[in-house]
Amino acid sequence: MRLSFIRPISCCAVSSPTTLVKPQTPLFLRPPTFKTTLTDLKKWHLWAKSLASSVGSAFLNLDNGPDSNQLLRELNWLIEDAIGTPKSILEQPHKSRNGNSTVLIRTCLDELYVLWKQRVEERRPFQYVVGCEHWRDLVLSVQEGVLIPRPETELIVDLVDEAIKENEELRDGLWGDLGTGSGALAIGIARILGSKGRVIATDLSPVATAVASYNVQRYDLEEKVHVKQGSWFEPLRDNEGEFVGLVSNPPYIPSKDIGGLQAEVGRHEPRLALDGGASGMNDLIHLCDGAVSMLKPGGFFAFETNGDEQSKFLVHYIETKKQGSFSKVKMVSDFAGIQRFITGFRGR
Amino acid sequence: MDRLEVLSAQLNKADLWDDPVHAGRISREHGSLMNKVEDVMAIEQELVEHIDMIKLAQEENDPELELESVKALLRIRRNVKQKELEALLSGEHDYCSCYIEVQAGAGGTESMDWASMVMQMYKSWAQHKGYGVSVVDEMPGEIAGIKRATIEVDGENAFGYAKSEVGVHRLVRISPFDSAKRRHTSFVAVAVIPILGDGSTRVQINESDLRIERFRSGGAGGQSVNTTESAVRITHIPTGITASCQNERSQHSNKASALAVLQSRLDQLEMARQAQMNAQHTQSLTEISWGNQIRTYVLHPYRMVKDLRTNYEVSDPDSVLEGDLDDFILSFLSTSLDKDEE
Ligand SMILES: C[S@@+](CC[C@H](N)C(=O)[O-])C[C@H]1O[C@@H](n2cnc3c(N)ncnc32)[C@H](O)[C@@H]1O
């Protein structure tokens, strides 16, 4: 395996999020001001179900995409998010409910047709369709231009939680989330920190910083989480050596694999969030290098990787190239048994 | 009534509030008994009023008034039935929410379809009663129906009622899956597990005894995959008991739901262990023997649902399958009450 150790070129280091991007309100938070009849809604539901069923396992076989069962489950969630009244009204075929009775929805019925078509025919990710992703116990706003946080990444918050429980000093210190995307990790961590604990979340993408700021605000965490725009450690120059913890899920997919990704990812999610250079490890290596000077002695780090190969490489890299800088470096696997994370501590 | 007098006497004692915990309990029990008594008296009064009203209406020849009163009487009847049901619930865990689990018997698609009909019956029943219903775990059949499913039924007395359903349910019908239109018999096993409240002692689970796996996660995972499927399965290694959940929208919530099911399964196992001294136990799916039939649903050649324990039967299977189960539950609960008193 040949790897390039070239530091990614950073283009801008604007430190305050000059938010020109306006974050979109997720469907479930919009007011239910649109009216339709039960009959029309049922008609849409039937149409949507049959569109989902027509997929069978075609996408699954093609690129590990969703099968009908999964799409049908998503359809239920779309209804859950779109309807103001309880969704069980659609499930009571025997009841003598009047077909003309009004149902309040959060977007117009035509739009529901468009949205479901986009989901199935264009493979637009479900989370962009409804504008949110349920992640841990959070509901995060997401939109095109921001990576949809993955279930695997939830575990980083548990890893941080464990580290804090072992060393309570970490609870009230400064944390960094590099490449924060929707703000998922920063928010998840901020909620387990103490009253003095703070998180700085950075991202190069203006859409990401706008959406992350919106999510931070929705969870009332403006006091705890500061979102800054810029490349990796650049917005953090003023805080060098002050961090008790750093987490990141940087882009780690090798460039050559981008073309073959599942349609929901390859066609719709931002390349900036996925492409980790030739080996996929450009950013991970840059982060390992930078963590040395950013972390306080005893500070904790947790990074997500593409899996076994990258994790092993990084542990080896740290042990040989960063000798003495870190201790207790190890790999941690996700629930699918893949070595997904590396964690460790800055030496004392 | 006797109990009420005892309580009233205690409430009137001057030194009652010297022991506030005891006093609180007495006054709560007194209050709740008083409410029940008042309820019954109110119903009695209403009943008398409406009967008088009907007599009057007939004398005055006022069909509108008569109809209204008859409607009111019907409403009272429903209400009384409900009260009667409630009075039958006195088991230690009856007040709890519960999980209802169904499992298709042998016979492939045929019984998997029956399993999903049974599940639908319980969902409608629970919704009618105003309970919260959510699907926790569901394993669909290849062609139709479900192999196995677990729903959570959330609300007061859910376990007390639903426990009447434990056992094997048998269906006789012309199979919609058989092109030769033959008659088929299918079986489904039903188990009900109480979700113990905070007051109860629950089995301690050690985090280190758990194995948590994600399933149906093909391929590389991580950034390469975008799926809304985040099912997890949790295994309690010492007992081998597992629980899974795939219907929540985040992996974290799926894990939490699966853990809650696992907790209740372990609690149930513990209750089963203690069952020798205590009849409060309902069987888990693995314990239910396929010989233990409790109810038969016949759609062909005639139409009938019959409970084999109480001999209660109705001739309208559709309404039962749409969740109209209260009469079956009521007759089962009163039979078991009579048995207990013997
Ligand atoms: C895989 S996404 C992770 C997003 C989020 N942390 C999560 O786990 O859902 C990687 C993120 O890194 C950001 N990124 C890419 N290059 C960057 C750079 N040079 N500096 C800072 N962030 C960068 C992307 O915009 C993207 O939001």
Side-chain angles (χ1 to χ4, degrees), chain B residues 323-341:
Chain B
D324 198 354
L325 282 168
D326 278 342
D327 288 335
F328 282 96
I329 293 177
L330 181 69
S331 64
F332 173 74
L333 289 176
S334 12
T335 327
S336 6
L337 196 69
D338 294 347
K339 274 203 195 115
D340 286 352
E341 278 170 4

Side-chain angles (χ1 to χ4, degrees), chain B residues 176-240:
Chain B
F177 303 98
D178 181 350
S179 50
K181 298 261 174 282
R182 277 170 300 199
R183 207 145 58 96
H184 282 252
T185 303
S186 328
F187 299 93
V188 159
V190 175
V192 177
I193 310 173
I195 302 173
L196 301 192
D198 293 336
S200 323
T201 33
R202 314 200 67 178
V203 174
Q204 274 289 329
I205 299 180
N206 290 328
E207 189 84 28
S208 58
D209 285 341
L210 300 179
R211 185 171 62 236
I212 304 173
E213 295 157 288
R214 175 149 184 216
F215 58 105
R216 290 196 219 123
S217 61
Q223 289 164 17
S224 306
V225 176
N226 175 351
T227 173
T228 51
E229 157 86 66
S230 61
V232 294
R233 179 192 296 113
I234 307 185
T235 310
H236 184 248
I237 301 164
T239 57

